[in-house]
Every structure is written in C-alpha cells, then in structure tokens.
Amino acid sequence: MDIYKINGGKKLSGEIHISGAKNAALPIIVGSLLADGITTLQNVPDLMDIRTTVKLIEHLGAETNFDTENNVLTINAKTITNGEVPYDLVKTMRASIYVMGPLLARCQEADVSLPGGCAIGARPVDIHLQGFEKLGTEISLEHGYVKARTKGLKGDLFVMPKVSVGATINLIMGAVLAEGETILENCAMEPDVVDLGNFLIKMGATISGLGTERIAITGVKALKAVEYTIMPDRIEAGSYLLAGAATRGSVKVTHIVPEHIEALLDSLEEIGFSVETGKDWASIQTTDTLKGLLVETTPHPGFPTDLQAPMMALMATVPGISVMIEHIFENRFTHVAELHRMGAEITIEGKCAVVKGGAPLMSAPVMMSDLRAGAALIIAALAAEGETEIRRIYHCDRGYEKLCHKLSGVGADIRRVTGGM
Ligand code: EPZ
C-alpha cells in the first residue's frame, strides 16, 4: 500500500487550481440515469469515489467513457435495469444509495445494498427510506439489502426530521419524474444539492426553492440528456487554504465560488489571517497576531463538518485555546488520536474538542481513518518539523484529485511512496 512522506516546516506559497466537487459530481452522475440519452459532464474530478460510481451505473446498464485527462465523463443511459447493486461495489461509498431515486423513477424498483462509507458514525438512511415511502414506495430490508417497489412515484409533502444532504438529493431525484407536486421541507441547503438541482432543471425538471429549506418539485413525463459542468469543490479549496494557514504561508485557491466557503473564510479571519476574495478565487496570508477560536459545525451555510478535522489541525498550531463542536456526526474525531502522536494537545468531551494550540507539532508515523481525517494529518505533517509518514492514504484518493502534484506546486515536500504498510 502507498504511503505519503512529508517533510514539513515549509511555508506553502502560490496558487492551486481547484477541481470539480466530488459531492456534487456523485449525485449528478447518478442523476444522468434519469434521461434516456447521452449526458456529457465536464469538470468531473478523477477520484476513487467517482470511479466507483461510474462502475455502479455501468452495473445498472449505462455505457460510459471517462476522459480523465480532460475530466469529461459521458454517460449513455439508454437502457437501465434494476441490477441489484452489490455490497462489494457500495461498501466503500455511502452515496451509492443515490441510485434509489433514478431506479424507482425509471424502473419502479430498486434493490440496493445498505451503504458503507467513511467511519464517521452510524449514518443511517432512514430519512431516505421514509421519504420514498411518502412518495408511494413499499420498502423492505432483506439480508443487508433495501428492496423498494412502487407502482409509480406520486408527489406528496415530506418534512425531513433532520437536515440531510443525501436524503434531500435522493428525494429530489425521485420526485422529478413523479406524478404531481412534491414538497420537501427542512431540506439541506448545501451547494452540492443546488448543483444537482440545476443539472436536473437543465434536463427539463421543474424545481423551485433550491438553496432554501423548502423545495417544490412538479413531476414531468421525461427528462432529456444534457451537457453540464460540475461546480468547484469547496472542501478541497478549504483544505488547501487551511494547509497554507497551518504552514504560515500564503495560498490562493482559484476556479472556486468564494461564497461557498464563507464560513471558513470568516473563521480564518477571526484567527487573524488576512483573507482576500475575487470573483472566482480566495487567498489567505499570515499576520503576526493569531489567536484561538470557537467553531461549531452546522448544515450549510454554517461551518461544514467536512472541514472540521482539517480546521483542528490548524487549531493545533495557533497559540491559545480553540474549541471545536461537531454537531453533524457523532464519531468524527478519529483524527485526534493521530494528532496527539504529532504533539497536539486536544481533549474531547462528547461532541466538543478543546485544542490547546501553539506548541510545535512533531513528525510521527500516523494513519488515516477517513477522508477528511486524512486531510487533517497531511496539514499537520506540512506544519510539523521533520519527516512524517502517513499510512492508509487510499482514504484521500477518494476525495482529493492530484493531491501530491497540487501541494508540491505550492512548495510542499510530499512524496507518494509505494510499499508502505
Ligand atoms: C454528505 O453525506 C456528504 N457526502 C458528506 O461528505 C458530508 O459530511 C455530509 O453530507 C454532511 O455535510 C456526500 O455528499 C457523498 P447527511 P450524507 O445525510 O448525505 C443523519 C466527505 O468527506 N442522517 O447530510 O451521508 C446522519 O447520520 C463526506 O466528503 C440520518 O439520521 O450526510 C448525520 O448525522 C463524508 N438519517 C446527519 O443526518 C438519514 O437517513 C447528516 O447526514 C440520513 C442522515
């Protein structure tokens, strides 16, 4: 298995071109199954989760071509069948549950293995299932599989008991071809949901209220295949800004939508970094006066849970006390034990982590436990003196395109080495 070797202590400086958003691309790729024709997607990041999703839709009958050099994915979804989505294909990726919406809409049935995903808590799919039941689906759970059957999805009102990105996405995809009007309340407002909605609208769907808590969808008879460009990855952008900040460098991320990372930029300013933004870029620069802060993760437009671990790596380098409260997932502090090994002083009580920052981080052999925990370790290693070896880096292959190349481009000493444990 590959490992990263990072020689830290170097200030990062320069520009990083941000890739297309993983969490928008995943549902959009699956959403292409809703149209009988050839969809062309631009700005698709070449990531493990994307490749798994491509395999998943091929399993259901789609023909695909992924030009990874140019990040263009074409999908021909002329013939789609409910080919029971196997556990082996979905165990690493929770987003596989997204096929329920399009399969129910086009085939009136879906058999999907209950998903796996990052080790960040129980992460049930009960809200997805309750929503589909409300839209006229019968659901049973058999041997680890969700079996869903409908005589035709019918619009209805569904109030989500908790804000869920995945359930909002899945139910929108089911409702676009349902009979009549669907009203979804307490929806996720994440940009990824809006990007999927804009893609579906381009295909001919009738959707209003994207980016708000209440989304209304009037079903149409059919959707047409279109060409669409995936929005930029706000979490990738945020991770690199945090890496720049942790090394006390100056990093500019380009090809982004700055409004998508407003909560992060506000936090960086609160710590004392100087932040600038333009039409499609954001940059940070270090100042002399940095101090700890309190951050709470909440649904968009709040501080994203996906930047919680990377932000904690920065907190460990900032003098004074910082507090991180994780409200979205109950088990998303797995990076803390590894950060301890690098000298970070962090105590956890329930959903609250207190970071006593400022002592220099030290290199150490460490191990990724999930995608964003992995990003936190990379940031800590970039800030630490000496050579850090990071294992289980396949987690980061799920979500950061050309990571070594991008970080080397701003002065990091990072190598991917084959043959580690
Ligand atoms: C999406 O996961 C993202 N994944 C996650 O990105 C992200 O951390 C998360 O949203 C929150 O922003 C993708 O987009 C593929 P949720 P999702 O449904 O949809 C609970 C990354 O690193 N819940 O919004 O699975 C759930 O347990 C990742 O890129 C239920 O209780 O998240 C959690 O506490 C990993 N029942 C909360 O809701 C349900 O049926 C929010 O989860 C669904 C969710």
Side-chain angles (χ1 to χ4, degrees):
M1 264 194 262
D2 291 2
I3 61 171
Y4 282 135
K5 288 192 178 198
I6 297 178
N7 260 305
K10 297 178 175 53
K11 290 180 198 289
L12 301 187
S13 163
E15 280 187 28
I16 300 181
H17 182 141
I18 296 305
S19 301
K22 166 179 86 80
N23 288 347
L26 295 175
I28 288 174
I29 293 169
V30 175
S32 70
L33 300 181
L34 287 160
D36 155 9
I38 299 178
T39 299
T40 304
L41 301 176
Q42 312 274 358
N43 205 28
V44 179
D46 181 15
L47 300 167
M48 274 320 289
D49 274 11
I50 298 292
R51 289 179 179 222
T52 307
T53 305
V54 168
K55 273 197 204 137
L56 185 66
I57 62 166
E58 282 176 346
H59 178 83
L60 301 176
E63 289 169 14
T64 70
N65 179 52
F66 192 9
D67 171 359
T68 50
E69 205 133 293
N70 295 302
N71 297 97
V72 180
L73 174 65
T74 51
I75 300 161
N76 182 350
K78 202 161 177 46
T79 322
I80 294 302
T81 48
N82 173 29
E84 199 173 86
V85 181
Y87 180 60
D88 271 354
L89 211 50
V90 305
K91 68 180 178 212
T92 57
M93 202 192 57
R94 184 177 158 79
S96 48
I97 194 79
Y98 288 159
V99 299
M100 271 191 84
L103 278 179
L104 284 170
R106 270 189 78 179
C107 310
Q108 284 72 55
E109 56 177 40
D111 295 343
V112 188
S113 169
L114 277 172
C118 292
I120 56 175
R123 303 186 78 191
V125 290
D126 54 327
I127 304 171
H128 302 236
L129 304 186
Q130 281 167 29
F132 281 116
E133 279 177 338
K134 201 75 202 288
L135 300 185
T137 306
E138 283 197 10
I139 291 182
S140 57
L141 292 176
E142 291 172 27
H143 310 292
Y145 278 76
V146 177
K147 290 198 176 281
R149 299 289 179 271
T150 180
K151 294 200 170 75
L153 294 173
K154 289 203 170 49
D156 207 328
L157 166 69
F158 180 61
V159 183
M160 281 182 245
K162 189 172 183 181
V163 177
S164 161
V165 173
T168 305
I169 281 173
N170 218 346
L171 294 170
I172 292 175
M173 289 203 280
V176 285
L177 290 178
E179 191 187 318
E181 191 181 38
T182 300
I183 308 282
L184 301 175
E185 284 187 1
N186 200 24
C187 292
M189 300 190 280
E190 267 64 4
D192 315 270
V193 177
V194 177
D195 209 36
L196 167 77
N198 287 335
F199 168 66
L200 295 171
I201 289 170
K202 196 166 182 197
M203 292 169 84
T206 308
I207 306 173
S208 62
L210 288 169
T212 74
E213 287 166 10
R214 185 178 188 275
I215 297 177
I217 302 135
T218 305
V220 294
K221 288 258 175 303
L223 296 174
K224 60 177 189 302
V226 294
E227 181 171 335
Y228 191 78
T229 302
I230 308 290
M231 72 170 203
D233 197 313
R234 67 204 163 97
I235 306 301
E236 188 199 15
S239 302
Y240 289 132
L241 287 176
L242 287 164
T247 61
R248 305 295 185 263
S250 62
V251 165
K252 178 175 180 180
V253 287
T254 66
H255 301 81
I256 65 156
V257 180
E259 296 75 44
H260 289 175
I261 51 168
E262 232 164 58
L264 171 72
L265 296 178
D266 288 349
S267 296
L268 286 167
E269 268 187 331
E270 198 182 329
I271 296 175
F273 291 96
S274 150
V275 172
E276 277 187 70
T277 57
K279 188 170 159 278
D280 66 350
W281 59 267
S283 67
I284 59 110
Q285 261 181 341
T286 302
T287 67
D288 294 337
T289 46
L290 303 182
K291 60 173 174 40
L293 84 170
L294 164 71
V295 175
E296 298 189 51
T297 65
T298 51
H300 193 78
F303 192 94
T305 173
D306 290 347
L307 287 177
Q308 178 257 107
M311 173 53 103
M312 278 180 66
L314 170 63
M315 285 171 162
T317 71
V318 171
I321 300 289
S322 290
V323 177
M324 175 62 81
I325 306 178
E326 170 59 56
H327 288 291
I328 310 291
F329 292 111
E330 78 275 18
N331 187 23
R332 215 175 192 183
F333 284 135
T334 54
H335 46 288
V336 169
E338 300 300 295
L339 290 176
H340 281 160
R341 294 167 52 73
M342 300 182 72
E345 284 186 53
I346 305 173
T347 48
I348 299 176
E349 209 160 299
K351 53 166 77 169
C352 180
V354 178
V355 186
K356 200 169 153 206
L361 292 174
M362 301 171 288
S363 59
V366 288
M367 200 158 71
M368 295 185 183
S369 51
D370 76 49
L371 168 57
R372 308 303 171 186
L377 298 183
I378 289 172
I379 293 169
L382 290 167
E385 287 295 335
E387 184 173 88
T388 295
E389 282 190 9
I390 309 183
R391 288 149 206 218
R392 302 205 177 162
I393 62 171
Y394 54 83
H395 286 295
C396 269
D397 294 340
R398 294 182 55 197
Y400 292 91
E401 187 180 41
K402 301 192 181 101
L403 182 136
C404 258
H405 172 79
K406 290 188 183 188
L407 282 173
S408 306
V410 291
D413 181 349
I414 175 169
R415 279 172 301 139
R416 186 176 182 122
V417 181
T418 303
M421 295 226 321

